[in-house]
Amino acid sequence: MNRLGGHILTPSGFIAGDIEFATDGPNNGRIADISGTPVSESIVRNSKLPLILPGFIDLHVHGGGGRDIMEGGDAASRVAEMHARHGTTALLATTMTAPAADLQMAFAAMAPLFAGAGALQQHTAGARILGVHLEGPYINAGKLGAQPDFARPIQLDELGQLNALAPIKLITLAPEIPANMAAIESLCAAGYRVQIGHTQGSYEEGVTALDRGA
């Protein structure tokens, strides 16, 4: 067993004590036991003991450590390693609004992370990549923010091809684009999470999108 001591954040609050991790077998790396005494947050704030917290889950990660998910190659793995060093243990690799060929390249580079046994073993030195956050290209060209100017209405064939390479877990889109609004229900039924972003839509359009599952 590996053991760490300090102030441990649990679902019931902080405990001053020890946390043990299994070091072999099917539970290798998982929590085996937590023991100690409950303490107040005021004690934790004024203590010099280590803080032991659950890992962060970040659903919007474009890059880190000088690398960008859109680069392809090993960028996603290197990004995951950098984020793990700062407390993130799981993330969604987030792409940019880009031409179809650039998205295909970025997704193809991530495909091996989700293939076969590799999907269970990926990133032992980094945060686990749970899937892809497709931020655009199905956004409003008038609300790009930091996104490149390649916005376009949703293209279901393109979406399916990308998802076949690496699983898309979250799609950011602008619902006021007619094709986008029409697709929300079917996207949700297919298992995608849809969120509203980079939009110039009205309040009413936002409510309609939410009613359809966004």
Side-chain angles (χ1 to χ4, degrees), residues 1-13:
M1 293 284 182
N2 280 338
R3 180 190 297 266
L4 294 173
H7 285 135
I8 306 157
L9 181 60
T10 75
S12 302

Side-chain angles (χ1 to χ4, degrees), residues 13 18 30 41 79 96 102 118 126 130 161 183-184 188:
D18 297 302
R30 294 183 178 273
E41 290 188 18
V79 167
M96 296 283 282
D102 290 355
L130 302 175
Q161 291 167 6
I184 290 175
C188 293

Side-chain angles (χ1 to χ4, degrees), residues 104-187:
Q104 286 274 351
M105 183 269 293
F107 271 73
M110 289 186 280
L113 302 177
F114 303 98
L120 302 177
Q121 301 168 2
Q122 59 160 313
H123 307 311
T124 55
R128 184 163 186 194
I129 300 178
L130 302 175
V132 180
H133 172 183
L134 191 70
E135 188 184 16
Y138 316 127
I139 59 176
N140 193 313
K143 203 70 171 179
L144 292 171
Q147 297 285 331
D149 191 7
F150 295 103
R152 52 192 181 273
I154 195 165
Q155 299 178 20
L156 296 178
D157 287 346
E158 176 185 55
L159 185 67
Q161 291 167 6
L162 294 173
N163 187 61
L165 291 170
I168 297 170
K169 299 298 185 181
L170 178 62
I171 301 170
T172 295
L173 55 72
E176 69 274 16
I177 309 299
N180 296 356
M181 182 73 84
I184 290 175
E185 285 184 277
S186 62
L187 292 174

Side-chain angles (χ1 to χ4, degrees), residues 14 21 38 43 49 56 64 81 96-97 103 115 118 137 151 155 163 172 174 184 190 195 201 213:
F14 279 101
F21 299 89
I43 290 176
L49 288 176
F56 302 120
E81 290 173 4
M96 296 283 282
T97 295
L103 288 169
Q155 299 178 20
N163 187 61
T172 295
I184 290 175
Q195 70 178 17

